């Protein structure tokens, strides 16, 4: 028998608890956080410069149903896309995913930490969405099934969080 109260509680508190854990890690290792942020600013600047260059070469006057993203938005989309790609590959073949991370880093637009963090965010996000769905399920058996759907994503998140490519 599935007790819905813990599932609903977990679906509502998982995201704030994860954010609190990140803040605790930031406080525990402030030098590493400062270094990673400096590296992220450098690579973010490279992604924005590339996005601006792409804007220049695109045909002017094209009509799109939605506005094209700004250079900053394109840079963020590129990082999120890289994270999604690595997260998807990691499930099937961590070695291949690590090779993709190294290729992305070699281009100078990303750091390994940024790509792994983006992949971690993708995995955590998918797991949290599954838990949120479970928290709103009306049927207890469906609630249990949806909780189980979150497990592979959360396991992937743990693997990505503990990955060390050095």
């Amino acid at each position: 028998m599935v007790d819905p109260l813990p599932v609903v509680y977990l679906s509502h508190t998982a995201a704030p608890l994860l954010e609190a854990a990140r803040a605790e890690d930031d406080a525990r290792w402030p030098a590493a956080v400062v270094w990673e942020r400096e590296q992220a600013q450098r690579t973010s600047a490279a992604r924005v410069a590339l996005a601006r260059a792409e804007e220049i070469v695109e045909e002017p006057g094209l009509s799109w149903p939605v506005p094209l993203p700004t250079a900053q938005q394109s840079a963020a989309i590129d990082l999120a896309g890289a994270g999604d790609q690595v997260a998807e590959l990691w499930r099937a073949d961590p070695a291949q995913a690590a090779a993709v991370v190294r290729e992305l880093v070699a281009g100078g637009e990303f750091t390994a930490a940024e790509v792994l963090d983006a992949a971690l965010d993708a995995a955590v996000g998918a797991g949290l969405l599954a838990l949120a769905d479970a928290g709103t399920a009306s049927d207890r058996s469906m609630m249990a099934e949806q909780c189980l759907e979150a497990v592979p994503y959360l396991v992937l998140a743990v693997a990505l969080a503990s990955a060390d490519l050095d």
Side-chain angles (χ1 to χ4, degrees):
M1 181 100 162
V2 176
D3 183 4
L5 187 59
V7 174
V8 171
Y9 177 77
L10 180 61
S11 73
H12 290 293
T13 60
L17 289 173
L18 285 170
E19 201 54 44
R22 280 189 177 172
E24 186 178 311
D25 284 350
D26 289 354
R28 188 177 299 157
W29 295 292
V33 170
V34 167
W35 182 83
E36 283 186 1
R37 286 190 181 138
E38 288 171 355
Q39 295 301 309
Q41 287 175 346
R42 179 185 57 80
T43 59
S44 177
R47 286 192 303 278
V48 168
L50 180 62
R52 284 195 176 121
E54 289 172 353
E55 285 177 348
I56 291 170
V57 298
E58 288 179 0
E59 293 182 40
L62 288 177
S63 175
W64 296 92
V66 294
L68 293 174
T70 66
Q72 287 81 5
Q73 291 167 333
S74 292
I77 290 168
D78 290 345
L79 180 58
D84 289 346
Q85 178 187 11
V86 168
E88 187 175 328
L89 284 173
W90 202 280
R91 291 177 70 178
D93 186 0
Q96 183 182 5
V100 168
V101 171
R102 288 186 184 95
E103 287 175 24
L104 292 166
V105 169
E109 292 177 44
F110 304 104
T111 65
E114 283 177 315
V115 175
L116 289 174
D117 284 349
L120 173 64
D121 289 344
V124 167
L128 290 176
L129 286 173
L131 286 175
D133 285 346
T136 60
S138 58
D139 179 310
R140 289 181 182 209
S141 64
M142 181 60 75
M143 184 179 283
E145 186 177 320
Q146 287 174 330
C147 281
L148 291 175
E149 287 178 15
V151 171
Y153 296 109
L154 299 176
V155 169
L156 174 62
V158 170
L160 289 165
S162 61
D164 185 11
L165 302 182
D166 296 331

